C-alpha cells in the first residue's frame, strides 16, 4: 500500500513540475524561438530523407561539378555534381541523431555517477569524483581525436567517443544537487518506512534533480553536435554517411574556398550554427524557469 501511494505521489510530482515548467517557459520569447528552430530541424531530419533524393546535375550528359545555384538546384552542386540542398536535408538526420544519441549516453552516465556519488558519500563519493576529475582535466578534443582514431571512422564509434568524454560536468552538477536533496525530510521519511537505497534514488531524488538534468541536457546536446561536426571536419567521421561535418570536410579538402564556392560551405555551416543557437536559446529560457531570480517580473 505504501509503495502504491509513493508511486502515485511521485507521478503527481512529475506532472505538477511539468505543468509549472511549461507555464513559465512559454512566457520566454527567446526560448520559444529556440524551440521553433529546433522543431524545424527535427521535422527536416524526420521527413527530409523521404521527400528528397541526392541527385546529380547534368547538362547534355556532362556532370556539372561545383556549379552555382540554379532554379532547379537551389544551393548548387559539389565536386561530384550532387545537389547540396538535398545533402543538407539528408545530413540533418545523421547529424542530429549522432548528437542526441551521444547526449543520451553522456546524460545517463553523468546522472548515475552524480546521484550515486552524492547519495552514498564517503569512499564511494571520493572514488567516483576522482574518476570524474580525470575526464575533467584531460582536454576533450585531443582525447576525442585519439579515441576516434583508435576505434575507427563509424557513426557508432563517434557516438561512443562523444558520449564517453562529455559526462563529467553533468556528474559534478547532479552530485551537488543530490547532496542537498538527500537531506530533505521526505527522504528521511522514506527511510523510516523501510524504502531501499535504489527506491529512494529513483522515486525521490531523481524526480527532484530531473529539472537540472533536463537543463544540462540542452547544453550537452549543443556540445555533442559541435563535437560531431568537429570530428567529421577533421576527417574522423564516417565518409560513407552524409553529415554537415562531412560536407564541410569535403568542401575544404576539395578547395571550395579557392573556387569561391560559398554555396558548398555556408549551408551546412549555417545549419550547425542555427541548431546550436536554438539549444542556447532554450538553455537561456531554462535558466529563467529553474532560477526564480532570473525571471522577468511584471512592473
Amino acid at each position: 500500500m505504501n509503495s502504491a501511494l509513493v508511486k502515485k505521489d511521485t507521478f503527481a510530482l512529475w506532472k505538477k513540475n511539468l505543468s509549472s515548467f511549461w507555464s513559465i517557459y512559454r512566457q520566454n520569447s527567446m526560448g520559444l524561438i529556440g524551440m521553433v528552430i529546433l522543431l524545424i530541424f527535427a521535422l527536416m531530419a524526420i521527413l527530409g530523407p523521404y521527400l528528397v533524393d541526392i541527385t546529380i546535375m547534368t547538362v547534355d550528359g556532362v556532370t556539372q561539378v561545383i556549379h552555382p545555384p540554379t532554379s532547379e538546384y537551389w544551393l548548387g552542386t559539389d565536386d561530384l555534381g550532387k545537389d547540396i540542398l538535398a545533402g543538407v536535408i539528408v545530413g540533418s538526420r545523421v547529424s542530429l541523431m549522432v548528437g542526441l544519441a551521444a547526449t543520451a549516453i553522456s546524460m545517463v552516465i553523468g546522472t548515475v555517477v552524480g546521484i550515486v556519488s552524492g547519495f552514498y558519500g564517503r569512499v564511494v563519493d571520493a572514488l567516483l569524483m576522482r574518476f570524474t576529475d580525470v575526464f575533467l582535466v584531460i582536454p576533450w578534443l585531443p582525447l576525442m581525436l585519439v579515441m576516434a582514431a583508435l576505434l575507427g571512422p563509424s557513426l557508432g564509434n563517434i557516438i561512443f567517443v562523444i558520449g564517453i568524454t562529455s559526462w563529467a560536468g553533468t556528474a559534478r552538477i547532479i552530485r551537488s544537487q543530490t547532496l542537498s536533496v538527500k537531506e530533505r525530510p521526505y527522504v528521511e521519511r522514506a527511510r523510516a518506512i523501510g524504502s531501499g537505497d535504489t527506491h529512494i534514488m529513483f522515486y525521490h531524488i531523481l524526480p527532484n534533480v530531473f529539472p537540472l538534468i533536463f537543463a544540462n541536457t540542452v547544453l550537452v546536446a549543443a556540445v555533442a553536435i559541435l563535437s560531431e561536426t568537429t570530428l567529421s571536419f577533421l576527417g574522423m567521421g564516417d565518409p560513407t554517411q552524409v553529415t554537415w561535418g562531412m560536407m564541410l570536410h569535403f568542401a575544404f579538402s576539395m578547395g571550395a574556398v579557392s573556387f569561391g564556392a560559398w554555396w558548398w560551405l555556408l549551408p551546412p555551416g549555417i545549419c550547425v550554427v542555427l541548431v546550436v543557437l536554438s539549444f542556447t536559446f532554450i538553455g537561456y529560457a531554462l535558466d529563467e524557469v529553474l532560477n526564480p531570480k532570473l525571471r522577468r517580473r511584471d512592473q
Side-chain angles (χ1 to χ4, degrees), residues 196-207:
D197 292 345
T198 302
H199 180 90
I200 293 174
M201 286 188 288
F202 184 78
Y203 286 104
H204 296 282
I205 293 180
L206 180 60

Side-chain angles (χ1 to χ4, degrees), residues 106-107 109-115 117-118 128-129 132 166-178 216:
S106 173
M107 296 310 300
I109 297 175
T111 299
V112 171
V113 172
I115 291 179
S117 178
L128 289 178
M129 285 302 98
T132 302
S166 58
W167 59 269
T170 300
R172 277 288 185 181
I173 294 173
I174 301 304
R175 171 187 175 272
S176 299
Q177 186 69 8
T178 302
N216 197 56

Side-chain angles (χ1 to χ4, degrees), residues 91-192:
S92 64
R93 169 178 288 189
V94 180
S95 294
L96 291 178
M97 180 193 71
V98 171
L100 295 179
T103 299
I105 294 175
S106 173
M107 296 310 300
V108 169
I109 297 175
T111 299
V112 171
V113 172
I115 291 179
V116 171
S117 178
F119 182 79
Y120 286 108
R122 298 185 179 180
V123 177
V124 174
D125 182 33
L127 290 176
L128 289 178
M129 285 302 98
R130 298 298 77 74
F131 181 66
T132 302
D133 290 341
V134 172
F135 283 88
L136 285 174
V137 299
I138 298 177
W140 66 274
L141 182 56
L143 179 60
M144 285 197 304
L145 289 174
V146 171
M147 293 183 66
L150 292 175
L151 295 175
S154 72
L155 289 182
N157 290 338
I158 293 298
I159 292 172
F160 173 77
V161 167
I162 297 174
I164 206 68
T165 57
S166 58
W167 59 269
T170 300
R172 277 288 185 181
I173 294 173
I174 301 304
R175 171 187 175 272
S176 299
Q177 186 69 8
T178 302
L179 289 173
S180 173
V181 171
K182 76 172 185 177
E183 301 298 334
R184 295 178 183 176
Y186 55 82
V187 175
E188 296 300 325
R189 289 196 295 267
R191 291 185 184 278

Side-chain angles (χ1 to χ4, degrees), residues 5 7 37 43 89 127 142 154 182 186 200 205-206 222 226 265 275-276:
L5 288 175
K7 291 181 180 180
I37 295 175
L43 289 175
I89 294 175
L127 290 176
S154 72
K182 76 172 185 177
Y186 55 82
I200 293 174
I205 293 180
L206 180 60
L226 279 175
L265 292 167
V275 169
V276 173

